[in-house]
Amino acid sequence: MQHILDELEKRREQARKGGGDRRIASQHAKGKLTARERIDLLLDEGSFEEFDMFVEHRATEFGMAEQKIPGDGVVTGWGTVNGRVVFVFSKDFTVFGGSLSGAHAKKIVKLYEQAAKVGSPVIGLFDAGGARIQEGVEALAGYADIFLANTLYSGVIPQIAVIMGPCAGGDVYSPAIMDFIFMVKDTSYMYVTGPDVVKTVTNEDVSHEELGGYRVHALKSGVAEGAFENDLEALTQVRRLIDFLPLSNREKPPVRESFDDPDRQEPSLDSLVPANPNKPYDMKELIYKIVDEADFFEISKDWAKNIVCGFARMDGEPIGIVANQPQVLAGVLDIDAARKAARFVRFCDAYNIPIVTLVDVPGFMPGTKQEQGALIKHGAKLLFAYAEATVPKITLITRKAYGGAYDVMSSKHIRGDFNYAWPTAEIAVMGAKGAVEIIFRADLNDPEAIAAREAEYKQRFANPFVAASLGYIDDVIMPHGTRRRIVRALKSLKGKQLSNPWKKHDNIPL
Ligand code: HXC
């Protein structure tokens, strides 16, 4: 009997070694942890249980019959994050560069099916060189099987990708379908085709970093929702994110005991909005001051900064916040802002997370660049996302809500449940100056007349009371009492039931 137990331990030990000491040392020398070290940091201590540790590839060509490493380049299994069950796969770069074989793919698909059955998130840690070149179509088939699982379980279980090394070729599309992508600064990069292919096709000389490093994806393309300094910080932050999310679409978001007074008043908010309507202020100050313990997990912090999205709690209940940021481009809605917020709103709606929208928006961004870039379709994404969302929706207009952007930003008309405004709100088709220059074009040569018209327009529309008199604003509230009012609104909406007409699926303007 003992020798059988010894054999098991020996095999386990061999599997845990992955590609061996030399490759592990090389992984560490690059500032990267191994697949198993990462899992240990992500999960609660001692909670990881591995599946398929002894799976091997079945390829025979190019000398592969003689090269078999148990686990075949991906570590899969489940464990807990603060006591809640999650499923994990972690690519092992020390084994054939983490590349994907048919057997490797089957392990991931099996994990997905189990996670979906149980109703638990999947977290994927990526560090791999794409399709296993020696396997050919088996690897391509394996990718497609994973993409199918990613797609079928999108909106069923949260899926989080962390890019912790190379992520090339077939590997990029799985994260792209998942809900959030985080990168590790300086050690990770993502691209469809690498620098060599780029050189051949376009004759461009470009490094891995320039082509797909975090500066490209977390700052410019928006492909990644964030970037962290190192493996440890990335994994710690994913743990923090998981705490805000329900484990599946079958659950309500996790309520945590709050030690922050739900009635807490914030007198400083009464002077947050500057007297001059063209002066910026920091919308994040409002967020930090109204949420529990100033705890805000921001999504895409460094991309499309004119809109702020992220998770927080109000009296212990998770919420998603979408807020125009007057400090960046005056908070205007442009293509990137619309894409960022639309995806976030849809995530919240899929997972029963109430949405709090903070509005200070001068409209949509004008210009040829935006129009040629399909602002119409991209802007419509955000409109569509808000309109179809059935979770509790609370809106607060702090200052400007102009034009189409007023409609889009969770207005009453697209089923906002509680629509509040501060006394400083201005709800109009456009700013007074622009409005007067159009409707009183004949007076343009008479500065006095124009000034009088402008004052008249401001008096009529630069306040929340016209909208409130029509019932489009439910109440005009004092800034210092904002936290209390939103907490109360969320409580009253707990039993909200609303569904959309039956359909196979919608046709969001992609
Ligand atoms: C098999 C691979 C591999 C791959 C790396 N390795 N990529 N083995 N298939 N795709 C192996 C190497 O042979 C090496 O083995 C080990 O992994 C480490 O690789 P290095 O090149 O030494 O590492 P590094 O210098 O850090 O470079 C990493 C890399 C590079 C940039 C990822 O390995 C690379 O360019 N790989 C190929 C990337 C690629 O073109 N993949 C195919 C994409 S096409 P040893 O034994 O020496 O440790 C694709 C199509 C799918 O994915 C489309 C589906 C939609």
Side-chain angles (χ1 to χ4, degrees):
M1 181 64 185
Q2 187 56 42
H3 74 280
I4 299 175
L5 300 183
D6 290 347
E7 173 68 14
L8 171 63
E9 207 32 63
K10 201 177 104 203
R11 281 177 178 258
R12 280 186 171 166
E13 198 42 45
Q14 192 196 351
R16 285 194 199 106
K17 275 265 154 82
D21 292 332
R22 182 179 57 82
R23 291 192 184 91
I24 291 175
S26 150
Q27 179 82 349
H28 286 158
K30 289 178 193 153
K32 301 194 291 183
L33 297 172
T34 65
R36 285 189 174 76
E37 286 166 347
R38 287 168 174 161
I39 290 177
D40 286 346
L41 285 172
L42 175 68
L43 300 178
D44 297 340
E45 207 180 331
S47 72
F48 181 56
E49 184 165 326
E50 189 168 341
F51 301 147
D52 294 336
M53 191 181 211
F54 307 115
V55 161
E56 293 175 346
H57 69 76
R58 293 180 275 285
T60 52
E61 292 180 83
F62 303 103
M64 289 305 277
E66 294 77 49
Q67 293 185 60
K68 296 207 173 192
I69 299 177
D72 204 34
V74 64
V75 182
T76 60
W78 72 276
T80 56
V81 170
N82 289 324
R84 300 163 75 227
V85 173
V86 299
F87 287 69
V88 189
F89 65 90
S90 180
K91 304 253 175 179
D92 188 347
F93 190 77
T94 70
V95 178
F96 309 120
S99 58
L100 185 128
S101 67
H104 174 132
K106 282 199 170 67
K107 284 180 67 170
I108 296 176
V109 171
K110 183 170 159 184
L111 182 92
Y112 258 93
E113 284 169 355
Q114 191 68 12
K117 241 186 293 177
V118 173
S120 280
V122 170
I123 302 159
L125 310 181
F126 290 80
D127 185 358
R132 177 90 43 91
I133 294 167
Q134 297 90 332
E135 284 214 6
V137 71
E138 267 298 284
L140 301 185
Y143 270 125
D145 291 342
I146 298 173
F147 302 153
L148 180 65
N150 292 141
T151 307
L152 294 182
Y153 302 126
S154 174
V156 177
I157 47 173
Q159 302 178 42
I160 300 170
V162 193
I163 316 300
M164 313 186 87
C167 183
D171 265 317
V172 298
Y173 282 112
S174 201
I177 304 172
M178 295 168 83
D179 296 302
F180 300 108
I181 299 178
F182 299 108
M183 296 181 76
V184 178
K185 291 183 184 174
D186 302 325
T187 52
S188 74
Y189 46 89
M190 296 180 84
Y191 42 65
V192 178
T193 48
D196 296 343
V197 179
V198 171
K199 174 75 185 164
T200 312
V201 177
T202 69
N203 205 24
E204 263 178 294
D205 278 307
V206 68
S207 67
H208 295 291
E209 183 62 32
E210 287 163 343
L211 192 58
Y214 85 93
R215 287 185 191 82
V216 174
H217 294 310
L219 277 62
K220 288 188 189 142
S221 73
V223 164
E225 274 78 17
F228 300 108
E229 292 302 324
N230 50 42
D231 285 12
L232 174 62
E233 193 198 357
L235 297 166
T236 311
Q237 291 299 325
V238 169
R239 283 179 64 88
R240 199 177 143 226
L241 172 59
I242 291 281
D243 278 354
F244 287 102
L245 310 181
L247 296 182
S248 76
N249 66 344
R250 310 199 283 261
E251 281 190 2
K252 292 269 182 206
V255 179
R256 200 165 78 178
E257 197 183 348
S258 165
F259 299 98
D260 199 347
D261 181 2
D263 293 333
R264 177 168 52 78
Q265 304 225 331
E266 274 296 336
S268 63
L269 291 180
D270 291 342
S271 53
L272 179 68
V273 173
N276 176 350
N278 297 322
K279 243 180 117 178
Y281 61 95
D282 186 3
M283 189 62 101
K284 285 194 205 171
E285 190 179 330
L286 171 57
I287 296 173
Y288 286 119
K289 284 184 171 161
I290 58 174
V291 303
D292 289 357
E293 288 137 18
D295 186 14
F296 179 52
F297 188 99
E298 199 173 341
I299 296 294
S300 300
K301 172 165 82 61
D302 299 311
W303 177 63
K305 294 199 249 183
N306 38 332
I307 203 152
V308 178
C309 298
F311 299 103
R313 286 188 189 77
M314 296 286 263
D315 200 25
E317 310 264 354
I319 53 164
I321 295 185
V322 179
N324 308 115
Q325 173 56 288
Q327 231 172 26
V328 180
L329 298 171
V332 77
L333 284 180
D334 58 6
I335 292 169
D336 289 350
R339 282 178 50 208
K340 169 172 159 180
R343 197 159 157 75
F344 183 75
V345 165
R346 294 194 105 211
F347 178 86
C348 292
D349 191 46
Y351 291 102
N352 311 312
I353 300 171
I355 301 163
V356 174
T357 305
L358 306 173
V359 184
D360 188 346
V361 63
F364 280 96
M365 180 81 148
T368 49
K369 203 167 154 219
Q370 289 286 312
E371 296 293 352
Q372 287 170 11
L375 176 65
I376 294 173
K377 286 269 181 174
H378 292 294
K381 289 184 168 98
L382 183 55
L383 173 57
F384 195 108
Y386 267 125
E388 71 172 347
T390 55
V391 285
K393 292 188 284 193
I394 296 164
T395 309
L396 168 68
I397 302 173
T398 59
R399 188 167 63 178
K400 295 171 193 164
Y402 289 170
Y406 156 75
D407 280 343
V408 169
M409 294 301 295
S410 198
S411 65
K412 197 67 172 170
H413 323 286
I414 52 172
R415 305 190 293 183
D417 293 298
F418 281 83
N419 290 68
Y420 295 128
W422 281 358
T424 42
E426 304 170 22
I427 303 164
V429 174
M430 58 174 68
K433 189 165 178 298
V436 165
E437 282 170 7
I438 294 171
I439 54 182
F440 299 108
R441 208 184 286 275
D443 295 341
L444 276 183
N445 294 330
D446 181 350
E448 257 177 47
I450 281 289
R453 298 288 195 191
E454 212 178 303
E456 186 190 345
Y457 193 89
K458 260 193 200 148
Q459 157 136 47
R460 176 83 181 121
F461 290 115
N463 63 65
F465 299 108
V466 178
S469 71
L470 295 167
Y472 301 150
I473 292 294
D474 296 299
D475 199 3
V476 180
I477 66 170
M478 295 302 276
H480 63 255
T482 300
R483 173 175 162 83
R484 180 174 159 269
R485 297 299 294 262
I486 295 179
V487 166
R488 281 177 54 82
L490 284 165
K491 293 235 180 309
S492 81
L493 288 166
K494 275 202 148 225
K496 178 179 177 185
Q497 284 188 343
L498 180 66
S499 52
N500 294 329
W502 185 91
K503 55 186 89 173
K504 185 173 174 196
H505 60 69
D506 57 43
N507 189 14
I508 188 164
L510 293 174

